[in-house]
Amino acid sequence: MAVSEAKKKANAKWDSENMATLACKVKRTQAAAFKTYCAECGKTSNTVLKDYVLDCIGESGEEDKGGEQE
């Protein structure tokens, strides 16, 4: 079933109020190698990076689903 425009708008509002994007610049060859590594692990680059950040700050990705809307 398709997501309604109202739901998309509500999700975007929640994200803008509660989420932040972390970024860094790397050489294209390094980015490609990292994406290959992630694919070989069966994960996305976002998942690998997010898991690393949460590990660094002593949090688990499973316990904080707070506010995510389905």
Side-chain angles (χ1 to χ4, degrees):
M1 181 163 86
V3 178
S4 71
E5 290 302 315
K7 179 66 173 166
K8 288 179 187 178
K9 185 177 177 180
N11 287 350
K13 181 179 183 227
W14 188 91
D15 282 351
S16 70
E17 293 172 353
N18 295 284
M19 303 296 283
T21 300
L22 299 175
C24 67
K25 289 185 178 183
V26 297
K27 293 180 181 178
R28 289 183 188 269
T29 56
Q30 293 168 328
F34 182 67
K35 287 181 180 185
T36 299
Y37 164 80
C38 293
E40 289 171 354
C41 293
K43 297 181 178 181
T44 64
S45 57
N46 185 73
T47 298
V48 173
L49 292 170
K50 182 178 176 183
D51 288 348
Y52 181 73
V53 169
L54 295 177
D55 185 53
C56 287
I57 63 173
E59 293 187 17
S60 163
E62 293 304 314
E63 65 190 34
D64 186 22
K65 298 283 185 184
E68 279 190 14
Q69 302 169 1
E70 295 181 13

